[in-house]
Amino acid sequence: MMAQAGCSTQRVASTSRSGRAEALVSSSAAASRPPWHGVAARHLSTAHASSCVRAVPHVSVSIPQKPKLCYVGVVRASEGMSPDKSQWGSQFASLSPPLLSKTDEHFRQQGVEFVDTRSGIVVSELNALFEKVGFPRRDPAKLKIALENTHALVWARATRTTRYASEGQMVAFARATSDGVLSATIWDVSVLPSWQRGGLGRALMERLTRSLVADSIPTITLYAEPAVLGLYEKLGFVTDPEGIKGMAFAREKRDKTSAVAGTVARR
């Protein structure tokens, strides 16, 4: 789903798959970054969004606001929308996909190259990247299946060994799920802390969004932390268009009191 772009603010990541997946940039990593490194994108995992539907009573769930953003520089923006939404989307139908702020050659000179295929991705290495930005570690077998079912992805690897990464190491990643014709959602945008503050996160998003626009997908969305909204807005995304909110089902455990009460009631 660069979200899932970010800042150097420390955040607390949940310890379970169903918890909030937020990017974590440690103060020590921030201190060691060179001045040219770029902003990492952070996304909310598929288990959370701007608000939650609670299926179990007596559950107190505190979830911070996670705005839903929709890309408006797409072709045939009215497709896949209700009549009211299509009128709103039609005004953006002529917008172009995001321009590349920095060329591939620029990043090659920095020792990074972009890849848009699954070939070369090592699940354990991707999990290591997730952990370094504060995302939860995924079950390797499930992550492999998730990659196989991903519509489009872009990742970056180091082309030479430096003090920031070894040759061939994954330094950034982003992917999108989609039905292929009507809508797509961007997830798991992450940039290795040592490679932040150099435009790599933005470049990753630009290339992935351009790929989705090239597929003529009219609705492209993502969920992001408030701290990184400015980055996405520069890329052509708008926050909660027309008041449309994203929601996610929160599978929270009941507290012991509720569980005991339920058991007694059944008896």
Side-chain angles (χ1 to χ4, degrees):
M1 160 135 38
M2 134 173 342
Q4 172 81 246
C7 63
S8 60
T9 304
Q10 289 195 2
R11 297 208 178 259
V12 177
S14 68
T15 58
S16 65
R17 175 64 182 84
S18 64
R20 298 185 296 276
E22 299 186 29
L24 170 66
V25 180
S26 67
S27 56
S28 59
S32 63
R33 299 185 194 121
W36 51 270
H37 283 144
V39 177
R42 303 181 184 88
H43 284 263
L44 185 63
S45 70
T46 56
H48 290 82
S50 57
S51 57
C52 295
V53 177
R54 300 172 189 169
V56 180
H58 310 298
V59 178
S60 177
V61 182
S62 176
I63 296 181
Q65 292 296 317
K66 297 290 181 180
K68 179 179 181 179
L69 293 91
C70 182
Y71 182 69
V72 296
V74 296
V75 179
R76 296 191 297 277
S78 63
E79 292 183 6
M81 296 182 178
S82 66
D84 289 340
K85 295 177 185 176
S86 65
Q87 184 176 4
W88 168 82
S90 63
Q91 62 184 305
F92 303 109
S94 62
L95 295 182
S96 301
L99 300 175
L100 298 182
S101 55
K102 295 181 180 179
T103 65
D104 288 355
E105 180 58 29
H106 168 84
F107 286 102
R108 277 193 290 268
Q109 292 176 4
Q110 300 292 339
V112 176
E113 67 178 356
F114 293 100
V115 184
D116 59 6
T117 67
R118 299 175 185 82
S119 178
I121 294 180
V122 179
V123 170
S124 60
E125 187 178 21
L126 179 55
N127 252 333
L129 174 61
F130 285 162
E131 288 185 313
K132 288 178 180 177
V133 299
F135 287 176
R137 186 175 184 82
R138 318 293 170 78
D139 176 87
K142 292 182 178 180
L143 181 54
K144 182 176 182 294
I145 294 173
L147 291 173
E148 291 171 351
N149 287 283
T150 291
H151 176 79
L153 55 80
V154 177
W155 58 288
R157 62 188 172 197
T159 58
R160 58 176 179 264
T161 299
T162 65
R163 61 174 175 160
Y164 307 115
S166 58
E167 183 178 359
Q169 180 181 348
M170 178 183 289
V171 297
F173 176 85
R175 72 186 184 101
T177 54
S178 176
D179 54 25
V181 291
L182 295 179
S183 65
T185 304
I186 296 173
W187 306 102
D188 298 331
V189 184
S190 47
V191 178
L192 196 67
S194 58
W195 283 89
Q196 295 169 13
R197 299 192 180 280
L200 184 55
R202 174 170 182 159
L204 202 69
M205 278 296 300
E206 288 169 345
R207 286 156 176 77
L208 180 55
T209 304
R210 287 172 68 90
S211 173
L212 297 172
V213 172
D215 288 340
S216 298
I217 297 174
T219 304
I220 303 171
T221 59
L222 57 84
Y223 298 90
E225 295 181 33
V228 299
L229 295 182
L231 172 64
Y232 292 118
E233 288 169 349
K234 291 178 182 177
L235 294 172
F237 287 83
V238 294
T239 305
D240 294 337
E242 297 295 285
I244 301 170
K245 300 287 185 179
M247 304 181 74
F249 177 64
R251 307 180 68 175
E252 296 289 340
K253 293 183 179 179
R254 292 182 297 175
D255 57 42
K256 292 183 179 180
T257 302
S258 298
V260 171
T263 302
V264 172
R266 286 194 297 272
R267 288 179 180 177

